Amino acid sequence: MNSLAKRQQHALPSHSRLGRPAPFSRPGWQLWPGLTIAGALVLLSAAGLGALIWEASLPDISQLWQSRYLRTVVTFTIWQAFLSVLLSLLVAIPIARILARQPAFPGRAVLLRLMELSLVLPSIVAVSGLVSVYGRQGWFTGFASDWFGASWNLYGINGIVLAHVFFNAPLAARILLQAIEGAPPSQLRAAAQLGLGRWWYWRAVEWPAIKPVLPGVAALVFTLCFTSFAIVMTLGGGPAATTIEVAIYQSLRFEFDSGQAALLAMVQLLVCGFLWWLAVRRGLTASLLPDRRVAAHRTKAGSSPSARLADGTVLGLFVLFLGMPLLAILIRGLPGMGSAFFTQGSFSVNPALLDATVRSLAIALPAGLMSLCAALLILACGTTSKKPAITRLTDVAAYLPLMIPPLVLGTGLFLLFRPSLGSSSEGLMLVTLINAMMALPFVLQMLKGPLGSLDSASRQQADQLGVLGWYRWRWLHWPRMRKPLALAMAYGTGLSLGDFGVIALFGTPGQPTLPVLLYQQLGSYRMDAAAATGLWLVLLLLLLFSVFNRLGSPLNKTGLATKSPRSVPEPEHA
Amino acid sequence: MLEVRNLVFAYPDQESPWNFHFSVEPGQCIAIHGASGSGKSTLMNLLAGFLEPQSGDILWRDESLRKRAPWQRPMTSVFQEHNLFEHLNVETNIGLGIHPGLKLTPEDQKAIKQGLHNVGLEGFGKRLPGDLSGGQRQRVALLRAMLRQKPILLLDEPLTGLDSDARDLLRQLLLQAKARGTLIVLASHDKEDRKLLADSVHRL
């Protein structure tokens, strides 16, 4: 014990030999940047909406029930969102249950990754895949017509709801699966030991686990379907199948009626705002980031051969539902890829495709980074402050972009900054800003769980050792956050990469991004080129996810554990 | 001298609050014991600054600690478990106790190596806490506490659940710390620990 004794003799007075506090350890560093961003978000949203109302003078509110068109738009938006939620959950609940009781089968990890990706799959690309399968000439339509004599029309409410289920059922199932797997281990162990059958397993384990997150999932899916734009633009069938978001686009782009756009935006804000107020107030917002720490628990309910066969059949149908449009995108896109990347046998990227790719990345990467930084700062502010008003402000700021239509926000800000917004590059900067805002709720929800996952014992230790500010981030949060941050960045960038809302309004036709180029190619019936662009967009997205996934893997550095599955816990529920 | 003066604390649903009052000289050990829920851990958390008392004061060398944050207090805690950061290896866990940003001098690194040798954990520096036994983890926690050079050690059942060899080694370490002038507040329900280490016993 000589060295211990020696050190003890010349004891140091402070926790830090430097004699100064850890960098950025003052509470203000964690409070003010996030508070400023949250305030700016609320202000920007209010200013955007306000500018539109100011410019246009809001029409009489009675138009909402007197104008047949507006009445139809509002009721159709609510109806299709309601149907989409209902069907998405009807698909998602059994799928989540099956995936929970079948913890090990070949391809499970790939399926889960595919389900997570549905959030960022560009709508316009997915729709082209859906058309290939369920359209008039589609594989499934042909099969159904030949074998059952059934006919159906993809355009209108059928297609819109189908596309919404395609996008949202996997997302909902992924969150519900996480909830089931996150059930208390003691309950899972007890259920496994007692050999509970399906019905009792549902009542004792699954339903109590799903119940708390179900309203939040329903609110999320409802909001996403309520504010859906690209799907309704492409699959909507005229005024009878138009949502508020599309009606706003038409008002702004073709009818130049910003008053009507503002009125519709207010309706959207009220409906989605009320829904999210309910969800946030009751703490019902579910984490979007999957928790991979959960240990698998075998249950009797899923172990018999007949149960496995039944589960396999349902899962197979789900995989077909999810995989066929993706397969169609691949099959239809491959022939066009040749001409997109090769000219007369030599490698040469089509200039239009290259330009659109560079432009898309130039918008998406900064948008992803901005949303990531904003989310981190807002979360730091929300967790540091103990004042309810500040927590409420950060909550509102985080979810506001889900409620205010991006088109309205963009138009309002455009009107606000009009004198200084001259060139197209400035328009693209506005698109970047709005895309970052649109991605914020998702990025924030992904980081919320991991950032809050530091247990109280570790927090106390860190407090006592003076591991604060930058040091706490470096040694305690970074090892846990590295992967979620990379994944959140990938989601933020991916959401912006596939954006076909704001860019449709502010982009110039001569300078398209990839989704706009795809839309232009579809519009001019260059189907091969459009399919190739769609496939390229999906491949780019996969590449982006692989790169960020690689960046998120822990490094072998002194002090940091390399045995990642146990040593660096993945995030918990938000 | 550490002086706890009428320190009053109650949890929101608690009917009668705790009132702690005692004093200890440097180089001495006070043992606190009592049934489960009698307030031993609460007292430790109050002393460490993890909980805020409703009234009363804690004085160290006649200076109030009440307004001081946990990292500004002259004490280090060792609990029965959860003393280490599970995702960081043993060396890093100890190093963060010496400098919260892990800016270690060669002398610090030498002290860590020597310390690990002294507690019988030579060659364990790169291991994760999860790869150690309960006794080994407690030795690491105690070593970190000692290398932090704080004059007060708060020990909340630090030897509970350990095998006899580990207990003996840790007891020796604590006796040596005491001999060097470290003040120890020990919460323990073990009679033998109290008899061996404590100069005074306080029942809650």
Side-chain angles (χ1 to χ4, degrees):
Chain A
M1 299 302 296
N2 288 342
S3 92
L4 285 180
K6 199 175 155 196
R7 287 186 66 82
Q8 200 77 16
Q9 276 163 15
H10 43 86
L12 296 168
S14 140
H15 67 279
S16 168
R17 230 180 297 96
L18 298 173
R20 58 183 182 201
F24 306 111
S25 59
R26 287 179 192 281
W29 278 110
Q30 276 130 63
L31 190 71
W32 285 107
L35 197 61
T36 310
I37 289 178
L41 276 170
V42 173
L43 208 67
L44 271 177
S45 307
L49 194 60
L52 199 67
I53 294 170
W54 179 264
E55 178 82 11
S57 68
L58 205 63
D60 189 0
I61 201 160
S62 64
Q63 274 201 25
L64 277 175
W65 51 89
Q66 279 172 0
S67 156
R68 189 183 156 82
Y69 171 69
L70 290 186
R71 215 169 50 226
T72 311
V73 165
V74 174
T75 48
F76 178 79
T77 308
I78 295 172
W79 175 234
Q80 61 81 24
F82 170 75
L83 275 182
S84 302
V85 172
L86 193 71
L87 291 175
S88 295
L89 291 181
L90 278 176
V91 173
I93 293 173
I95 295 299
R97 292 181 65 202
I98 291 172
L99 284 168
R101 62 177 174 246
Q102 302 296 347
F105 61 84
R108 188 179 187 268
V110 178
L111 178 62
L112 293 183
R113 181 50 58 90
L114 210 63
M115 288 162 70
E116 289 160 19
L117 273 178
S118 73
L119 184 67
V120 285
L121 192 67
S123 320
I124 193 159
V125 180
V127 165
S128 71
L130 285 168
V131 170
S132 303
V133 179
Y134 304 103
R136 203 179 296 272
Q137 310 290 327
W139 305 340
F140 179 79
T141 314
F143 170 81
S145 166
D146 291 348
W147 287 83
F148 307 107
S151 69
W152 100 312
N153 183 10
L154 184 68
Y155 295 92
I157 192 160
N158 294 342
I160 292 170
V161 172
L162 179 82
H164 283 162
V165 174
F166 174 81
F167 273 101
N168 295 298
L171 176 70
R174 194 65 193 85
I175 300 172
L176 295 178
L177 170 66
Q178 186 179 336
I180 297 174
E181 287 182 333
S186 55
Q187 273 186 30
L188 293 173
R189 274 196 300 270
Q193 207 158 47
L194 294 173
L196 294 183
R198 274 189 191 197
W199 168 241
W200 281 107
Y201 194 75
W202 164 253
R203 282 196 57 181
V205 177
E206 292 169 334
W207 176 241
I210 286 178
K211 203 174 140 191
V213 295
L214 205 56
V217 175
L220 176 69
V221 175
F222 188 90
T223 311
L224 290 174
C225 299
F226 194 89
T227 58
S228 175
F229 177 73
I231 290 171
V232 185
M233 265 287 273
T234 42
L235 294 176
T242 295
T243 56
I244 289 178
E245 195 98 6
V246 174
I248 289 171
Y249 171 75
Q250 285 164 349
S251 301
L252 291 172
R253 186 88 185 190
F254 304 117
E255 295 159 23
F256 308 106
D257 186 351
S258 43
Q260 184 171 287
L263 183 67
L264 287 167
M266 298 282 275
V267 174
Q268 180 156 316
L269 183 66
L270 279 176
V271 174
C272 297
F274 176 69
L275 213 69
W276 277 95
W277 175 74
L278 272 182
V280 171
R281 195 165 154 253
R282 298 186 58 192
L284 298 173
T285 50
S287 170
L288 288 177
L289 196 66
D291 187 341
R292 293 188 181 83
R293 277 191 315 168
V294 177
H297 283 268
R298 294 198 169 277
T299 63
K300 186 190 170 194
S303 61
S304 71
S306 60
R308 279 214 291 270
L309 183 70
D311 286 353
T313 309
V314 176
L315 219 50
L317 288 173
F318 179 67
V319 169
L320 277 179
F321 174 64
L322 205 61
M324 276 202 311
L326 297 177
L327 192 67
I329 293 167
L330 181 72
I331 292 174
R332 290 188 57 226
L334 276 177
M337 287 296 266
S339 54
F341 286 93
F342 293 93
T343 315
Q344 293 170 343
S346 61
F347 181 76
S348 158
V349 185
N350 179 317
L353 190 68
L354 184 66
D355 282 354
T357 305
V358 171
R359 202 166 294 115
S360 286
L361 287 173
I363 292 173
L365 286 168
L369 192 65
M370 278 162 72
S371 62
L372 192 74
C373 294
L376 275 176
L377 293 172
I378 288 175
L379 282 172
C381 168
T383 47
T384 305
S385 170
K386 288 180 176 63
K387 289 183 180 161
I390 292 181
T391 316
R392 217 170 295 135
L393 176 70
T394 53
D395 276 344
V396 169
Y399 297 110
L400 207 56
L402 268 180
M403 302 164 208
I404 295 191
L407 298 174
V408 166
L409 194 63
T411 310
L413 293 178
F414 182 78
L415 292 173
L416 212 60
F417 301 131
R418 193 166 33 181
S420 51
L421 269 178
S423 67
S424 62
S425 63
E426 284 161 348
L428 291 183
M429 278 165 67
L430 186 65
V431 172
T432 308
L433 176 72
I434 297 169
N435 278 351
M437 283 175 73
M438 294 304 124
L440 182 66
F442 301 98
V443 171
L444 198 127
Q445 204 63 15
M446 281 171 188
L447 299 179
K448 204 175 182 179
L451 202 65
S453 70
L454 198 63
D455 56 291
S456 64
S458 294
R459 269 200 302 272
Q460 285 188 349
Q461 267 189 78
D463 280 351
Q464 194 167 65
L465 300 179
V467 183
L468 309 166
W470 167 247
Y471 295 152
R472 184 172 294 206
W473 169 257
R474 167 67 187 90
W475 293 106
L476 302 189
H477 288 306
W478 175 243
R480 289 175 167 82
M481 295 289 293
R482 196 185 164 104
K483 200 159 190 174
L485 275 173
L487 203 58
M489 175 73 188
Y491 272 100
T493 310
L495 281 168
S496 177
L497 200 66
D499 167 59
F500 183 61
V502 189
I503 193 73
L505 196 64
F506 296 108
T508 42
Q511 294 182 321
T513 57
L514 281 170
V516 175
L517 179 70
L518 172 58
Y519 190 69
Q520 287 172 348
Q521 288 165 335
L522 283 173
S524 56
Y525 297 101
R526 287 151 57 206
M527 294 306 175
D528 275 0
T533 306
L535 179 59
W536 172 237
L537 194 48
V538 174
L539 291 177
L540 197 63
L541 211 60
L542 288 175
L543 183 74
L544 203 76
F545 269 75
S546 309
V547 169
F548 281 116
N549 199 30
R550 184 83 198 88
L551 288 175
S553 304
L555 292 175
N556 184 4
K557 275 197 167 181
T558 312
L560 277 183
T562 51
K563 294 164 73 175
S564 82
R566 193 185 55 182
S567 55
V568 184
E570 293 260 348
E572 289 174 352
H573 295 276
Chain B
M1 185 168 72
L2 175 73
E3 208 180 336
V4 175
R5 269 192 206 160
N6 293 316
L7 205 60
V8 175
F9 179 83
Y11 289 104
D13 53 349
Q14 193 178 330
E15 280 178 13
S16 54
W18 285 299
N19 188 340
F20 304 105
H21 189 88
F22 60 86
S23 61
V24 203
E25 293 289 339
Q28 290 207 326
C29 171
I30 180 172
I32 315 285
H33 75 112
S36 293
S38 60
K40 298 190 294 288
S41 297
T42 302
L43 171 63
M44 294 297 187
N45 286 329
L46 285 165
L47 292 175
F50 300 142
L51 289 175
E52 195 151 334
Q54 270 107 32
S55 64
D57 208 346
I58 304 163
L59 299 160
W60 171 244
R61 292 175 181 154
D62 297 326
E63 208 180 303
S64 173
L65 300 181
R66 260 197 78 173
K67 298 284 174 205
R68 288 209 203 168
W71 56 93
Q72 294 167 327
R73 298 191 180 205
M75 43 191 74
T76 302
S77 307
V78 178
F79 299 100
Q80 185 179 342
E81 49 192 6
H82 307 305
N83 290 301
L84 304 172
F85 298 115
E86 294 294 320
H87 65 288
L88 300 175
N89 67 29
V90 167
E91 276 179 6
T92 310
N93 261 292
I94 299 171
L96 283 175
I98 297 173
H99 187 284
L102 207 69
K103 292 177 179 164
L104 302 178
T105 61
E107 193 188 294
D108 294 329
Q109 281 163 352
K110 208 172 144 191
I112 293 173
K113 281 211 161 57
Q114 185 63 49
L116 283 171
H117 170 78
N118 291 341
V119 298
L121 291 175
E122 197 172 17
F124 284 68
K126 300 288 178 212
R127 292 212 191 168
L128 291 170
D131 296 333
L132 305 180
S133 69
Q136 290 169 331
R137 291 158 71 96
Q138 286 305 73
R139 274 184 265 169
V140 174
L142 207 56
L143 175 63
R144 180 174 76 186
M146 289 177 171
L147 289 176
R148 285 197 76 213
Q149 307 163 336
K150 297 284 180 180
I152 302 171
L153 262 183
L154 304 176
L155 308 173
D156 191 357
E157 306 280 5
L159 311 181
T160 305
L162 302 185
D163 61 62
S164 61
D165 286 351
R167 287 176 87 92
D168 286 346
L169 181 69
L170 290 180
R171 280 173 181 157
Q172 287 308 312
L173 287 175
L174 292 173
L175 284 171
Q176 285 170 17
K178 226 179 101 177
R180 285 194 301 273
T182 306
L183 186 158
I184 299 176
V185 181
L186 171 75
S188 174
H189 62 259
D190 189 290
K191 251 185 200 166
E192 213 177 321
D193 287 345
R194 295 202 297 266
K195 201 171 148 189
L196 195 75
L197 296 166
D199 300 291
S200 60
V201 176
H202 192 90
R203 186 182 169 83
L204 293 178

